Each structure stands twice: as C-alpha cells, then as structure tokens.
Amino acid sequence: MRVLFVCLGNICRSPTAEGVLRHKLIDAGLADRVEVASAGTSDWHIGKAPDSRSLRAAKLRGYDMSAQRAQQAKAADFNTYDLILAMDHSNLRDLKAIAPVNAKAELDLFLSRYDGAKDEVPDPYYDGEHGFEEVLDLVEYACDRLIVELKGRL
C-alpha cells in the first residue's frame, strides 16, 4: 500500500502528515507494508527541507522529519500511489487537473475523509507557531483513523 500526502509547497502540512504517519505505522507494526511520501502542487521548494517551524513542532512530539525533502506532485503519482490525500480544496483541485484518465490512485481530502468536523488542514506558513501545533493536532487525529483504514485494507 502506498500513500501520498499533498499540500501546496511540501514544506509544512504534507511533510508533517508524512512524518506522523511514518511514526504511527511503526507503532502499529505496518511500516513494512505501507509506504508513505509527500509532495506539493507547486515547484517552489523542490529539494528543500520542511519549514524549520514544522521540524521544531514535530520534534517536540517525537517525530523526525529531518531527512524529508520537498518534491512536486506529478501525473505519474496517480499510478504509483494507491491513496493520494490533499490537505485542502485548492490542492485537491490542482491534483484533479493533473490526474490521468486511467489513474489507479484514490484521491481525497485528508481531513474530510478522517475527521468530519473539518475538511481542510489550514496552512500554518503565515500563522505563527500555534498554527504548526494545530496542524499537528489535526494530522495526528486523522492519521490515527487512517491507520484503522489501512489495517482493514491490508
């Protein structure tokens, strides 16, 4: 099973989701059965590490994202991944625009699928330190539910 998280620049929300899910997969004993990655719809930060505020907030909760580097989502991802999860409606729209007709991946809004109370992970980039904490809260909650789904699919 392969999961791809996607946000705009791949330096805040999607790498956080990737880091959290990687950690939770280890805890759930699924790390050898599920691959996880992240990407951005833009090419602004390709090759760069996650935002330092994302790294710091994640580290305080025990998540190591230091090896991650930004990449851009591409049409081929729709045949590489089984599940592509967008962080917001804009990301979802951009992904639909590049999705090939014969795509195998299931595409959905991350929070809408696993939370219900909110449908978008807010972009913390201009929101200060508390924004990164909120992203972690939302992502941890949704990743717990994603783990339950993955267990049922494997």
Side-chain angles (χ1 to χ4, degrees):
M1 181 77 178
R2 299 173 119 187
V3 178
L4 179 68
F5 293 104
V6 180
C7 67
L8 179 61
N10 194 213
I11 60 167
C12 296
R13 297 171 291 172
S14 59
T16 297
E18 177 185 348
V20 168
L21 185 59
R22 278 186 194 281
H23 187 89
K24 289 183 178 289
L25 287 168
I26 292 167
D27 290 348
L30 299 175
D32 60 338
R33 300 183 68 196
V34 180
E35 291 181 36
V36 61
S38 61
T41 56
S42 77
D43 63 358
W44 300 337
H45 304 289
I46 292 174
K48 293 182 181 174
D51 184 285
S52 62
R53 297 165 295 175
S54 287
L55 289 169
R56 188 169 40 257
K59 187 174 183 178
L60 288 172
R61 294 198 193 184
Y63 306 114
D64 180 12
M65 305 183 330
S66 61
Q68 293 176 227
R69 295 295 175 264
Q71 62 179 338
Q72 186 175 16
K74 53 195 176 303
D77 292 336
F78 286 86
N79 290 310
T80 301
Y81 294 93
D82 301 294
L83 183 58
I84 299 176
L85 298 167
M87 295 293 130
D88 64 33
H89 288 283
S90 177
N91 305 144
L92 184 64
R93 186 175 46 254
D94 291 343
L95 288 165
K96 285 180 178 178
I98 66 166
V101 175
N102 63 343
K104 79 167 190 165
E106 185 178 350
L107 177 62
D108 208 346
L109 271 174
F110 180 45
L111 275 194
S112 178
R113 185 179 183 112
Y114 301 109
D115 184 338
K118 285 188 160 197
D119 63 349
E120 293 188 324
V121 178
D123 190 342
Y125 192 79
Y126 297 105
D127 203 20
E129 298 293 331
H130 74 279
F132 293 88
E133 292 297 327
E134 179 186 12
V135 166
L136 272 164
D137 290 342
L138 294 168
V139 165
E140 286 176 330
Y141 180 87
C143 278
D144 285 340
R145 275 125 197 94
L146 172 54
I147 291 284
V148 171
E149 178 183 333
L150 292 171
K151 284 180 178 179
R153 290 175 75 161
L154 296 173

